[in-house]
Amino acid sequence: MGKEFFTDVPEPIGYAGLDSSDPLSYKVYQPDRLVLGKRMEDQMRVAVCYWHSFNWPGQDVFGRGTFDRPWLEVGGDAMVAARQKMDAAFEFVSKLGVPFMCFHDVDIAPEGETFADYATNLESMVDYAEERMSETGIRLLWGTANLFSHPRYAAGASTNPDPSVYAYAAAQVKHALEATHRLGGENYVLWGGRDGYETLLNTDLRQEGIQMASFLTMVAEHKRNIGFEGTLLIEPKPAEPTKHQYDYDSQTVHGFLERFDLAGEYKLNIEGNHATLAGHSFHHDVAYAVSHGIFGSIDANRGDPQTGWDTDQFPNSVDELSLIFYEILKGGGFTTGGFNFDTKLRRQSLDRSDLFHGHIGGIDALAKALLVAADLLEADTLSNPLSHRYAGWSEDVGRGILSGSESLESLEARVMSGELDPSPVSGSQELLENRVNQVIWGSEA
Ligand code: XLS
Ligand code: NI
Ligand code: NI
C-alpha cells in the first residue's frame, strides 16, 4: 500500500442508478451487467491516462498550474516523487473501479541526465508498477514512448533530418516496448508527436516518409524478437503540435501502411478530438477503421466546436458515442483495445475530486452508449436498410461487375437495350436519424 491522496473519496465508486443524487456514483455503469453476452466492463475496457490526469498541473501557454496535485509537489529525490505519483495513479484508478491505465515512459520515470539514467529509472519504476499492479489488479492497456517533449525531438523523432535523433528515438522505443511487455500491456501505441512539418521550405517529404516506414518496420521486428503478443497501434492526428502531421487520419495511415507493406503489423488507436481536427467526425474515423479491418482502440475525448485545437475534453455525448460503439460492436467488439480516457480537465476544475467527476461522467456516457449500440445492433435498425440499399450488388449485374465478368462494352449493351434503366431512390437520411433517436430515447439504462 502506497501513500494515499484521495482521502475525500474513501470508497470505490459504485453504481447507484439514475435517481441517485450522489455525484460520486455511477448512474449507468455496472461492471457486471451483461450486454450482448459480455460484462459491461469487458465490453468497455476503460483505461485512465497517466499524462493528463497525474502529470499535468493545469498549466497552459498563458499561465502556470492551477490544480491541487500534492503528488507533484513532493520535491526532493526524483525517484521518490515518481513513486508518490504512481501511488496517486493506482489509488485513483482503484477507486474509480476500472481495469486499466496507460502511460508514456517518461510519465512514470524521470528522464535523468543520460540515456543510461533513463533506462535505470524506467526499469526501477517498472518494478514498482509491477508490484502495484499485482496488489490492485489494475492492468496496462497500453504503453508508449514520449518522442515529442524533449528539445531533441523538436524536428520530429523517426522523421528527424538527423539520423542520430532517429537512433535516440529507436533506443527509447526499445525500452518503452520492453517495459510494456514486462507489465503485460495489451497494446503498444505510436503517436507521431512531431513527425510532420512546420514549413515545406526545409522539409523533404519523400525522405521523411521512408524514414518513418523504416522505423515502424524496426518496431514490428523488435516486437517479434521479444515475443510481445499485444497489438501495435498508430494514433492518427492531422496537426498540433506541428502544422501538418503525417498520420493525418485513419484513411491516410491505412494508405501509408499499405504503401510500405506494413498493413498486417499495425492497427489504429483513434482519438475523438483528432478525428474532428482532421475535419471528419469521430464516427467517420472509427467506421473507416472497422470496415477496413484496422480498428484497434480508442482515445476517448471530444473537442470544442468553437476551438480549433486538441482540447481533450471528457466525452459526454451519448448521441455521438452510441454510433461509435455501434461501429465497434458491428466489428465484433474490442479485442486488445479499449476506451482510454485521453482527457483533460478544464484549467478551472482544480479540485482533486474533479478528476473523479470527469471520469465518472465519461464512463456513464459510454455505458449508456453501449446499451444504445446493443439495441441498434439487435434490432437491425441500421443494418436492414443498409443491406437493402446495396442489395443490387449481390444480384446478377452487380455480382458480374464485381467478379470482373462485365466490361464497359457489355454494360453499354445492357443500357442501350433498355434492360437497365435506373430510377433514383430515397437515401432516407431523416428517417434513419429518427430511428436512431427513437432507440436512444427508448433504451433502458
Ligand atoms: C496527443 C495524443 C497523445 C497520445 C499518446 O494529442 O493524443 O496523448 O495519445 O502519446
Ligand atoms: Ni491520444
Ligand atoms: Ni490528443
Side-chain angles (χ1 to χ4, degrees):
M1 197 54 192
K3 189 170 160 44
E4 283 209 53
F5 292 98
F6 297 95
T7 42
D8 288 352
V9 182
E11 299 287 329
I13 307 295
Y15 169 75
L18 277 178
D19 296 331
S20 168
S21 57
D22 177 5
L24 290 170
S25 71
Y26 290 116
K27 310 299 173 296
V28 187
Y29 183 58
Q30 299 178 72
D32 291 325
R33 176 169 172 184
L34 290 182
V35 184
L36 297 176
K38 249 197 209 173
R39 295 171 63 245
M40 240 184 190
E41 181 179 284
D42 301 330
Q43 291 282 18
M44 291 167 55
R45 296 170 59 82
V46 170
V48 172
C49 92
Y50 216 93
W51 48 104
H52 297 319
S53 293
F54 308 108
N55 280 2
W56 179 53
Q59 89 278 13
D60 68 9
V61 282
F62 296 100
R64 62 172 183 268
T66 52
F67 296 159
D68 173 27
R69 299 285 182 266
W71 57 86
L72 293 178
E73 283 155 24
V74 290
D77 184 279
M79 288 300 285
V80 174
R83 266 186 218 108
Q84 299 230 349
K85 183 168 49 169
M86 191 168 275
D87 289 339
F90 276 92
E91 183 193 352
F92 179 80
V93 180
S94 300
K95 287 186 172 169
L96 194 63
V98 298
F100 293 106
M101 60 166 72
C102 296
F103 43 71
H104 299 85
D105 48 358
V106 304
D107 297 338
I108 63 166
E111 283 186 77
E113 295 298 318
T114 62
F115 192 79
D117 288 346
Y118 157 85
T120 319
N121 292 349
L122 184 61
E123 178 89 12
S124 131
M125 287 310 295
V126 167
D127 290 342
Y128 192 54
E130 213 165 32
E131 251 175 61
R132 302 300 329 259
M133 284 168 88
S134 73
E135 217 174 87
T136 56
I138 292 164
R139 293 178 283 154
L140 181 62
L141 185 65
W142 49 262
T144 186
N146 178 326
L147 306 178
F148 44 90
S149 292
H150 193 281
R152 84 175 64 85
Y153 296 125
S158 72
T159 64
N160 201 288
D162 177 355
S164 62
V165 177
Y166 178 115
Y168 209 104
Q172 211 182 316
V173 168
K174 177 178 180 291
H175 282 264
L177 182 59
E178 288 168 6
T180 302
H181 181 39
R182 246 191 79 194
L183 293 173
E186 305 214 6
N187 309 270
Y188 182 85
V189 165
L190 292 114
W191 169 57
R194 295 180 194 272
D195 290 332
Y197 63 80
E198 300 296 343
T199 170
L200 287 172
L201 299 182
N202 65 11
T203 303
D204 184 337
L205 285 175
R206 187 170 180 280
Q207 166 69 23
E208 295 201 359
I210 291 169
Q211 289 173 211
M212 194 158 103
S214 103
F215 195 84
L216 294 178
T217 306
M218 281 187 197
V219 175
E221 262 167 29
H222 194 66
K223 168 193 160 164
R224 266 189 295 279
N225 291 345
I226 62 174
F228 176 62
E229 284 176 1
T231 311
L232 295 176
L233 299 170
I234 295 180
E235 183 175 321
K237 185 173 182 179
E240 196 202 305
T242 68
K243 168 194 167 82
H244 173 92
Q245 312 229 162
Y246 298 134
D247 296 331
Y248 201 91
D249 61 0
S250 291
Q251 193 163 357
T252 308
V253 173
H254 188 209
F256 183 88
L257 292 173
E258 290 287 355
R259 178 167 143 229
F260 289 101
D261 225 5
L262 284 162
E265 306 279 13
Y266 286 87
K267 289 193 161 44
L268 301 184
N269 182 43
I270 295 167
E271 179 161 321
N273 201 177
H274 295 181
T276 49
L277 286 176
H280 305 315
S281 61
F282 189 5
H283 187 191
H284 168 92
D285 262 33
V286 174
Y288 182 88
V290 170
S291 60
H292 289 81
I294 51 167
F295 175 74
S297 200
I298 297 275
D299 269 6
N301 63 21
R302 72 178 209 274
D304 179 285
Q306 279 87 49
T307 312
W309 67 87
D310 201 13
T311 60
D312 291 326
Q313 282 158 249
F314 282 83
N316 67 356
S317 161
V318 172
D319 290 6
E320 181 179 48
L321 297 171
S322 295
L323 294 174
I324 279 140
F325 227 141
Y326 172 71
E327 298 297 337
I328 296 171
L329 294 181
K330 209 167 74 173
F334 286 116
T335 52
T336 60
F339 282 106
N340 168 44
F341 275 71
D342 192 351
T343 42
K344 288 163 97 165
L345 289 168
R346 296 309 86 198
R347 192 165 173 267
Q348 295 178 59
S349 306
L350 18 116
D351 295 344
R352 261 173 265 173
S353 59
D354 287 316
L355 262 185
F356 280 99
H357 298 310
H359 285 89
I360 289 171
I363 291 167
D364 268 338
L366 279 175
K368 175 72 180 168
L370 166 62
L371 297 170
V372 172
D375 286 352
L376 286 170
L377 201 73
E378 282 190 314
D380 290 318
T381 312
L382 294 169
S383 55
N384 264 345
L386 196 75
S387 46
H388 186 71
R389 190 161 192 238
Y390 289 87
W393 292 96
S394 34
E395 287 155 17
D396 187 30
V397 183
R399 255 206 330 259
I401 294 172
L402 295 182
S403 69
S405 63
E406 295 283 351
S407 64
L408 290 189
E409 273 159 17
S410 71
L411 291 174
E412 190 231 24
R414 288 177 188 268
V415 171
M416 190 67 89
S417 70
E419 178 201 333
L420 298 180
D421 186 13
S423 46
V425 257
S426 173
S428 313
Q429 181 172 335
E430 296 76 8
L431 172 66
L432 294 171
E433 287 168 347
N434 294 351
R435 289 215 167 122
V436 169
N437 273 347
Q438 200 181 347
V439 174
I440 292 176
W441 299 336
S443 104
E444 271 184 49

